[in-house]
């Protein structure tokens, strides 16, 4: 079951991210870096998704969903999608540094939630894939301040957490690109713009509702789901959310 809260629930969503070329080069292009960062988030979030029933089982005190386990399983999923082991990237390259920061963010989040997810006698913990993705994105963005940002947002009517409201650029991409029936499903949109902070690369990756999402986001529209939010009345394959990544011009 998909549960959206942190920005929106994004797991089990249809259409895999179309991957950019190999990141084996010493210094990958911005679109490759952003694509790989999004893929790592999706890979780690899928681990939380697969273990949602265990997380919410009140009879299990130790869920054994440690930071090490989540990272290890995320790396396997990432390698399956990309053909690349993220720990093999040059640690001095931009991609290597940012992927390492993202993996560290995953570890920090999982370490911090252990007391919560391991509460015996408590069912729904509120730690769902959307919450995980938001926390990891926030931890990552904080750790690489001035270099990159990552967040999960959605079309404004679907946003359940005010922190995750789309900014003007994301709003325009959703309306002008992803909402267009002619847009290639799963294809990211990216561009480089020049602003006050210099050249800034931005990528948005669309994600879609799968059948498993509809228990919380389907119908009846307006009825309350397990998280306490009204259901959106969504259908399978509707646009559900966006992973938004910004890369700032590297500092000398």
């Amino acid at each position: 079951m998909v549960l959206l809260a942190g920005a929106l629930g994004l797991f089990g969503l249809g259409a895999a991210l179309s991957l950019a070329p190999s990141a084996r080069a010493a210094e990958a292009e911005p679109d490759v870096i952003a694509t790989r960062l999004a893929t790592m988030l999706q890979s780690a979030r899928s681990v939380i998704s697969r273990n949602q029933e265990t997380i919410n089982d009140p009879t299990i005190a130790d869920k054994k969903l440690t930071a090490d386990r989540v990272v290890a399983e995320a790396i396997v999923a990432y390698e399956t999608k990309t053909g690349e082991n993220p720990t093999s990237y040059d640690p001095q390259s931009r991609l290597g540094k940012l992927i390492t920061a993202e993996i560290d963010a995953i570890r920090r989040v999982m370490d911090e939630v252990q007391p919560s997810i391991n509460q015996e006698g408590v069912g729904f913990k509120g730690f769902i894939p959307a919450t995980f993705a938001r926390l990891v994105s926030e931890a990552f963005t904080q750790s690489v301040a001035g270099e990159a940002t990552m967040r999960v947002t959605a079309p404004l009517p679907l946003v359940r957490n005010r922190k995750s409201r789309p900014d003007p650029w994301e709003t325009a991409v959703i309306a002008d690109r992803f909402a267009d029936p002619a847009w290639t499903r799963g294809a990211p949109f990216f561009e480089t713009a020049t602003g006050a902070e210099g050249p800034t690369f931005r990528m948005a990756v669309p994600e879609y509702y799968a059948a498993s999402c509809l228990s919380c986001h389907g119908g009846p529209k307006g009825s309350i789901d397990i998280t306490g939010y009204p259901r959106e009345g969504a259908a399978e394959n509707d646009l559900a959310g966006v992973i938004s990544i910004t890369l700032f011009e590297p500092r000398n």
Side-chain angles (χ1 to χ4, degrees):
M1 174 177 62
V2 172
L3 305 173
L4 301 186
L8 73 162
L10 295 172
F11 73 80
L13 297 177
L17 171 60
S18 299
L19 294 175
S22 173
R24 295 293 183 188
E27 198 56 66
E29 294 297 320
D31 61 315
V32 176
I33 295 172
T35 300
R36 295 304 189 266
L37 292 173
T39 301
M40 177 55 73
L41 184 65
Q42 292 171 327
S43 298
R45 189 182 57 198
S46 71
V47 180
I48 305 304
S49 169
R50 291 196 302 272
N51 288 278
Q52 194 67 65
E53 185 175 344
T54 299
I55 291 170
N56 292 333
D57 190 332
T59 68
I60 303 175
D62 182 2
K63 306 301 191 297
K64 302 188 185 303
L65 197 63
T66 63
D68 284 346
R69 177 183 167 192
V70 171
V71 167
E73 293 187 14
I75 287 174
V76 170
Y78 180 96
E79 193 166 11
T80 298
K81 293 177 182 179
T82 67
E84 301 164 4
N85 186 318
T87 65
S88 70
Y89 298 143
D90 179 357
Q92 298 305 313
S93 69
R94 193 179 189 191
L95 175 60
K97 291 176 181 177
L98 291 177
I99 281 287
T100 297
E102 187 174 9
I103 291 173
D104 288 345
I106 293 167
R107 288 188 180 280
R108 290 202 303 277
V109 168
M110 292 311 302
D111 283 341
E112 291 171 1
V113 301
Q114 291 302 307
S116 173
I117 66 174
N118 290 326
Q119 289 184 76
E120 191 173 13
V122 176
F124 180 61
K125 307 297 193 306
F127 186 66
I128 58 179
T131 301
F132 170 79
R134 176 178 60 80
L135 293 173
V136 169
S137 297
E138 290 173 351
F140 168 81
T141 298
Q142 183 180 39
S143 70
V144 296
E147 298 180 47
T149 68
M150 180 166 57
R151 63 197 303 266
V152 182
T153 185
L156 190 57
L158 302 181
V159 174
R160 294 183 173 188
N161 186 314
R162 291 178 62 84
K163 291 182 179 180
S164 301
R165 289 175 296 180
D167 67 18
W169 183 85
E170 292 158 347
T171 297
V173 171
I174 290 169
D176 299 339
R177 310 286 177 168
F178 299 156
D180 184 346
W183 187 260
T184 300
R185 179 179 171 82
F189 173 80
F190 58 88
E191 63 181 359
T192 299
T194 300
E197 298 175 311
T200 301
F201 176 89
R202 299 202 66 177
M203 174 181 280
V205 180
E207 300 190 295
Y208 307 85
Y209 289 121
S212 60
C213 303
L214 302 184
S215 59
C216 285
H217 300 284
K221 183 175 182 179
S223 59
I224 304 303
D225 69 13
I226 191 173
T227 71
Y229 284 90
R231 292 180 173 87
E232 292 84 0
E236 188 175 357
N237 297 321
D238 283 354
L239 179 66
V242 173
I243 297 177
S244 179
I245 293 173
T246 301
L247 301 176
F248 300 107
E249 186 73 3
R251 297 170 179 172
N252 295 326

